[in-house]
Amino acid sequence: MPALTSTAPSHPRPSAMDTLYCTSSRFLIYRLCPLLPLSSLPPLSLPRRALPSFPHLSSSSSYSSSPPLTPRQRARFASLSRKPMAAVEGAAPALAPGAAPGLDLEDVGIGSVRQQVVNLVREALATTVPDVEDIEPQVAVCGNPKNGDYQCNNAMGIWSKIKGKNTSFKNPNAIGQALAGSLPRSSLTDSVSVAGPGFVNIKLSDRWIEKKLHQLLSHGVGEWAPALSYKRVVVDFSSPNIAKEMHVGHLRSTIIGDSLCRMLEYCGVEVLRRNHVGDWGTQFGMLIEYLFEEFPNWEEIGDQAVGDLQDFYKKAKIKFDVDAAFKEKAQKAVVLLQGGNPQYRAAWAKICDVSRKSFDQVYKRLKVTLEEKGESAYNEYIPGVVEELKGKGLVEDSEGAKVIKVSGQTIPLILVKSDGGFNYASTDMTAMWYRLNEEKAEVMVYVTDVGQSQHFDMVFKAAKRAGWLPEDESQLPRARHVGFGLVLGADGKRFRTRSTEVVRLVDLLDEAKDRSKQGLVERGREGEWSAEELEEAAEALGYGAIKYADLKNNRLTNYTFNFDQMLDIRGNTAVYLLYAHARICSIIRKSEKNVEELKKTGQMKLQHPSERALGLQLIRFGEFVEDAASDLLPNVLCEYLYTLSGMFTDFYTNCKVVGSEEETSRLLLCEATAVIMRECFKLLGIEPLYRL
Ligand code: ARG
């Protein structure tokens, strides 16, 4: 790839962050609007916009980049937003260094736009109906964009609470009128209107949207990060089993889990990325004995002994099934291993190591980081946890096993097997105990196929009975199972290739890359680019295509693995989106303007309706991440990105950029779009391309 230029921000954040600077056409007031502790806000769900249809973009090339917020900046914002009113009273809003002249970015605030609207509505509610308790602002995107951008839907709910109770309001519309009237004046709002039974429609001011976009260009996207109500999350994902195939289900878990981690990290959450590998269990007795028998010199020949673990596993299993003496030995081996016999431990470690190396090949290609804390890591804690649960009177005997009964299930959770051994559930109960007590997790997310829903339902219910988790799931700590559907082949059956029973993941990745490379060669890129550039682009396209195809569907549905579809430049695919991004970069390059200079000196003006629509979609990035992260649904962000790309096409079709009178403003809008597209790619784990 060509060397990328990027201008670092180096702008310290101006002071008095929590000052809302309010302007109107006739006067200028400036009032304090402390940012409410956003962490106290519940996650909101909004109706999603329908996707527009649009033609595909053709190819092109290059770029520039806005940097993310540094941890220091973030910490500074956090402390500022908690400052009491008095501390910032009278503080004059400073001009943001680096922003275009005459632009005061002070009044655009931080957090997602929806959270900012919610803050205004919260104030209006407190003034309008101070005596009505427990009303949360209900803010949604306007169903009809003609009415406005956001709407407050509280009036009807309030009316049903106060109707007939000595109120001066005559109907819900009157409440809506009062809410509209008491909405704090803010540079954010252009106009406020009331419709029907009290819906308060809020139209954002064009100037404010422009400033938000300047904020993005000069400070990066970090300031738009929504605040979530938790700070520490364990995401348990990927989690293949040692000596067994890491299959497409694990690939799905890896891709979905990684994207969820990225979104939570963007929101400032500390994420513990846990690979809960299946590295403990009775199958190891068989594997170790087989290793000892077939390769007495296993310590010297190292990895070669185990070689292809799939094959090794299969052969060991056959022997286990047909050879009674071997079976007995294997069962004894489990006891020796679990008792800590050094030789058995060493053989176990060797087998795990070989598996780990093959898993890492996949993680490395996908650029996914994970910290392995396998089942074995929790083993020593299991007896203590069983004791704790017994102490709480939850453990019952059932046919020799120790179980915990849970509501809504016909079978109990087996904590200790009838032979005294521990199982998958004993480990998961203990891992949860560990995550809550040792790792202080506030939220625990488990990414596996929906086939494990019952298991997690039982584990979570048992944890509630133990008092580890509150009954009320809106409270913390919280556990969530992120289930996903099956990966199907073109025949609608479980995905397999013709030649092998199971699909090797590296082969899949290779094929996606090879096909992408072929496409680039057909477009004549082989002669233009270096071999390295070609490889990088082929990887970004191929791996990006696999990831996006998986993420764009609602995860609960089954998904059909189809190379032709996922690599189609005309569909809702990563390939299409990567081309769209490269196209924007090419427009900027063609202008021969230094976009970093323009960011400092140029001004954006949203004049054409498609410019405004694009600008609005851009500044809403934060709330889509908020929805995707709180509902644990990456497809929400994919939809956002696809819609954004369509809106850019509309803008580009309607508005001439290079060589037009509005060139500076429009180039800035192009750059802002490219920045947000890259941010989406980043959160989806896709590498952007600047020329294609
Ligand atoms: N190893 C399991 C499997 O392949 C997934 C583990 C998921 N995590 C957990 N804590 N149970 O099905």
Side-chain angles (χ1 to χ4, degrees):
M1 286 290 96
L4 305 174
T5 61
S6 144
T7 307
S10 71
H11 311 311
R13 179 65 197 166
S15 61
M17 273 301 303
D18 22 7
T19 306
L20 200 73
Y21 191 56
C22 310
T23 59
S24 81
S25 52
R26 271 184 292 146
F27 58 91
L28 191 79
I29 46 165
Y30 135 49
R31 56 169 284 156
L32 280 170
C33 174
L35 277 179
L36 289 157
L38 294 172
S39 55
S40 65
L41 304 178
L44 292 159
S45 282
L46 291 182
R48 321 253 182 256
R49 279 206 185 158
L51 298 178
S53 60
F54 51 94
H56 85 277
L57 297 171
S58 65
S59 77
S60 69
S61 23
S62 176
Y63 110 112
S64 131
S65 176
S66 276
L69 206 64
T70 64
R72 256 186 75 211
Q73 281 173 312
R74 220 174 230 298
R76 182 160 154 63
F77 295 167
S79 71
L80 276 168
S81 63
R82 280 196 297 273
K83 252 190 206 160
M85 276 194 186
V88 288
E89 201 142 17
L95 196 90
L103 259 189
D104 167 22
L105 298 187
E106 183 71 358
D107 58 347
V108 289
I110 56 169
S112 75
V113 176
R114 186 177 55 205
Q115 284 179 342
Q116 291 186 263
V117 175
V118 162
N119 287 347
L120 294 181
V121 169
R122 198 185 290 279
E123 283 203 42
L125 287 166
T127 341
T128 313
V129 280
D131 303 331
V132 184
E133 280 168 11
D134 296 330
I135 23 174
E136 278 303 318
Q138 288 174 3
V139 174
V141 167
C142 271
N144 182 352
K146 281 196 192 117
N147 297 338
D149 300 315
Y150 289 88
Q151 65 185 53
C152 160
N153 299 337
N154 282 96
M156 304 249 287
I158 296 173
W159 176 245
S160 64
K161 282 192 175 186
I162 62 174
K163 188 161 74 180
K165 289 189 192 154
N166 192 23
T167 169
S168 58
F169 291 113
K170 296 225 156 41
N171 51 39
N173 183 281
I175 300 172
Q177 298 287 354
L179 282 172
S182 55
L183 210 63
R185 285 191 174 277
S186 156
S187 62
L188 177 149
T189 40
D190 173 80
S191 59
V192 182
S193 60
V194 181
F199 297 119
V200 181
N201 295 316
I202 301 167
K203 186 167 183 278
L204 302 182
S205 120
D206 294 355
R207 299 294 87 80
W208 192 80
I209 300 177
E210 289 157 5
K211 283 189 192 178
K212 267 298 219 200
L213 294 169
H214 275 284
Q215 180 191 37
L216 169 75
L217 293 173
S218 52
H219 296 283
V221 78
E223 286 173 40
W224 292 2
L228 302 179
S229 59
Y230 35 85
K231 286 275 160 270
R232 211 172 157 82
V233 176
V234 166
V235 183
D236 176 324
F237 70 111
S238 192
S239 310
N241 300 316
I242 299 289
K244 289 192 192 158
E245 183 61 49
M246 181 180 182
H247 51 72
V248 278
H250 294 121
L251 180 67
R252 230 186 150 186
S253 171
T254 308
I255 292 170
I256 295 173
D258 178 54
S259 178
L260 293 175
C261 291
R262 286 165 182 265
M263 290 185 214
L264 291 165
E265 282 155 359
Y266 168 67
C267 298
V269 171
E270 187 187 346
V271 181
L272 309 178
R273 295 162 161 261
R274 289 286 176 265
N275 202 359
H276 189 87
V277 296
D279 64 354
W280 205 241
T282 46
Q283 81 269 26
F284 280 99
M286 163 188 105
L287 293 168
I288 294 171
E289 278 313 328
Y290 189 74
L291 180 71
F292 289 166
E293 279 191 14
E294 298 294 313
F295 305 94
N297 60 340
W298 63 274
E299 272 155 309
E300 286 117 69
I301 61 168
D303 294 0
Q304 287 160 30
V306 188
D308 180 350
L309 261 177
Q310 303 304 307
D311 196 47
F312 185 86
Y313 186 92
K314 248 192 241 160
K315 287 182 183 147
K317 179 81 171 78
I318 292 172
K319 190 157 183 161
F320 184 86
D321 290 339
V322 299
D323 182 339
F326 178 76
K327 186 170 179 173
E328 205 186 316
K329 255 198 202 164
Q331 281 159 346
K332 283 193 183 137
V334 180
V335 182
L336 288 168
L337 171 68
Q338 302 203 339
N341 176 302
Q343 208 203 358
Y344 282 77
R345 280 290 173 124
W348 167 78
K350 171 94 267 160
I351 295 167
C352 291
D353 211 41
V354 174
S355 266
R356 193 172 296 124
K357 280 184 190 149
S358 79
F359 301 156
D360 282 347
Q361 278 182 6
V362 175
Y363 299 143
K364 204 172 148 206
R365 291 214 211 175
L366 296 176
K367 295 202 168 72
V368 170
T369 52
L370 272 151
E371 195 193 331
E372 185 180 314
K373 219 177 211 329
E375 292 179 9
S376 65
Y378 304 100
N379 199 49
E380 58 172 310
Y381 300 95
I382 298 178
V385 169
V386 172
E387 280 315 302
E388 179 180 325
L389 295 168
K390 273 188 191 160
K392 291 187 167 168
L394 304 180
V395 182
E396 296 173 39
D397 271 326
S398 170
E399 295 165 33
K402 302 211 179 319
V403 304
I404 300 183
K405 287 191 182 144
V406 294
S407 63
Q409 296 286 356
T410 46
I411 49 165
L413 180 86
I414 300 176
L415 197 60
V416 184
K417 294 190 291 181
S418 52
D419 66 2
F422 300 132
N423 63 8
Y424 192 53
S426 345
T427 307
D428 262 328
M429 282 304 284
T430 307
M432 178 177 291
W433 173 88
Y434 186 89
R435 288 164 182 177
L436 289 168
N437 293 284
E438 300 292 317
E439 299 185 316
K440 310 283 178 219
E442 291 167 286
V443 178
M444 290 158 294
V445 175
Y446 299 80
V447 191
T448 77
D449 63 287
V450 285
Q452 298 199 30
S453 300
Q454 188 190 34
H455 165 75
F456 286 109
D457 182 58
M458 295 203 292
V459 169
F460 299 171
K461 281 180 176 157
K464 282 183 186 168
R465 285 197 65 196
W468 296 352
L469 299 177
E471 280 299 329
D472 176 357
E473 289 185 8
S474 68
Q475 302 294 308
L476 299 175
R478 184 187 303 157
R480 300 275 303 270
H481 177 223
V482 170
F484 53 81
L486 290 175
V487 182
L488 305 176
D491 55 2
K493 301 207 183 103
R494 206 178 255 273
F495 186 52
R496 295 177 205 287
T497 53
R498 245 167 297 156
S499 50
T500 54
E501 276 169 61
V502 274
V503 184
R504 277 169 39 96
L505 299 187
V506 278
D507 295 342
L508 274 191
L509 297 176
D510 279 344
E511 183 162 354
K513 181 179 165 184
D514 291 347
R515 286 183 182 230
S516 303
K517 194 167 169 180
Q518 193 54 38
L520 291 168
V521 170
E522 279 159 22
R523 296 171 64 87
R525 298 292 176 257
E526 203 172 18
E528 291 170 33
W529 294 354
S530 71
E532 200 193 350
E533 284 170 353
L534 199 64
E535 281 293 292
E536 268 179 30
E539 279 178 14
L541 288 167
Y543 304 164
I546 291 188
K547 288 188 181 185
Y548 189 80
D550 201 329
L551 295 169
K552 78 168 183 188
N553 300 300
N554 181 314
R555 57 177 163 75
L556 290 165
T557 57
N558 291 345
Y559 118 83
T560 306
F561 195 97
N562 182 324
F563 276 123
D564 292 330
Q565 258 168 32
M566 68 175 71
L567 293 168
D568 189 346
I569 196 173
R570 286 170 301 267
N572 179 5
T573 63
V575 179
Y576 160 74
L577 293 162
L578 287 166
Y579 268 97
H581 172 261
R583 165 90 161 157
I584 300 173
C585 297
S586 150
I587 297 167
I588 297 172
R589 270 197 311 275
K590 261 193 221 130
S591 74
E592 296 182 357
K593 294 279 161 24
N594 180 340
V595 82
E596 291 307 320
E597 246 346 278
L598 293 188
K599 280 189 202 171
K600 292 191 198 127
T601 55
Q603 282 227 25
M604 195 181 307
K605 275 247 161 267
L606 302 173
Q607 282 161 330
H608 192 279
S610 57
E611 287 183 295
R612 189 188 190 274
L614 175 60
L616 179 65
Q617 174 79 354
L618 287 169
I619 64 167
R620 295 189 55 208
F621 168 73
E623 68 204 48
F624 280 89
V625 180
E626 184 184 359
D627 287 344
S630 10
D631 299 341
L632 303 166
L633 289 172
N635 61 305
V636 169
L637 193 67
C638 296
E639 279 166 29
Y640 168 82
L641 174 59
Y642 187 61
T643 307
L644 174 65
S645 178
M647 288 189 172
F648 182 83
T649 306
D650 288 346
F651 152 72
Y652 197 62
T653 313
N654 293 317
C655 303
K656 182 174 177 203
V657 179
V658 181
S660 69
E661 261 179 39
E662 300 85 355
E663 186 185 77
T664 298
S665 166
R666 290 182 176 165
L667 282 174
L668 288 174
L669 192 53
C670 287
E671 171 68 4
T673 309
V675 168
I676 290 298
M677 287 190 84
R678 287 201 285 279
E679 205 54 38
C680 291
F681 288 141
K682 187 169 153 193
L683 301 186
L684 299 171
I686 298 171
E687 292 288 312
L689 289 170
Y690 298 90
R691 60 175 79 233
L692 265 168

